[in-house]
Amino acid sequence: QFLHFTLISLMGQLAPELCVYSAEVFTSGDFPLVRSLAQNSGLGVVQVVLQGLGQGFASTLFPAVTMVAVVMVTWTLEGHYGLALLSAASVSGTGFQGGLASYGAIATNAHRIVHLTTYHSMTRHRANICASLGETAAHAGNIVSAIN
């Protein structure tokens, strides 16, 4: 029974992270799906809307299947108590996720302030780097919060 509880807790921690990575693949400019959408923007608005809509529908497949599989395995192992343990394990990282999301907002605000108040190129460059990291962190934090 201890192994069941350990497995359920690990699934509760890892399933949202897998869903975040899946969302990152469909929304980040570092991956080919978003790049192909940007490259096809020259073909017209209809192409972008249809391709974006298709990618949006496809992006929900992996997280949905992952969460259904995790719930089914949990139910098979421990029933109602397993589901309670799974939900507790998956929301145990909520403080960390909130910290990620708030870092993104803080970095974006600092970036705006630097660009409004200074002309020093090194300061602007550092602000750009922090804003880029903040945007990614906020995105990941918001996705994990939505999954939970």
Side-chain angles (χ1 to χ4, degrees):
Q1 197 170 22
F2 175 75
L3 291 175
H4 289 181
F5 294 159
T6 304
L7 180 64
I8 290 169
S9 295
L10 285 174
M11 287 190 303
Q13 289 289 317
L14 294 178
E17 297 302 324
L18 291 173
C19 295
V20 165
Y21 182 74
S22 171
E24 196 69 26
V25 167
F26 281 94
T27 58
S28 174
D30 298 334
F31 292 95
L33 291 171
V34 176
R35 283 195 218 135
S36 72
L37 186 63
Q39 289 171 348
N40 290 339
S41 64
L43 300 175
V45 174
V46 174
Q47 173 70 25
V48 173
V49 169
L50 291 177
Q51 187 178 354
L53 189 62
Q55 285 180 5
F57 284 136
S59 72
T60 62
L61 178 67
F62 181 77
V65 170
T66 300
M67 296 313 289
V68 167
V70 165
V71 168
M72 288 174 62
V73 168
T74 300
W75 179 261
T76 303
L77 292 176
E78 291 297 326
H80 289 291
Y81 183 76
L83 292 177
L85 180 62
L86 178 70
S87 64
S90 68
V91 299
S92 64
T94 303
F96 176 69
Q97 297 151 8
L100 278 176
S102 65
Y103 172 75
I106 291 167
T108 301
N109 289 339
H111 179 254
R112 288 183 185 142
I113 290 169
V114 165
H115 278 277
L116 288 173
T117 60
T118 187
Y119 295 106
H120 193 260
S121 63
M122 183 181 287
T123 306
R124 284 179 174 243
H125 176 70
R126 289 179 181 165
N128 290 340
I129 291 172
C130 287
S132 174
L133 177 64
E135 182 179 327
T136 303
H139 184 68
N142 290 336
I143 289 171
V144 173
S145 297
I147 294 294
N148 284 336

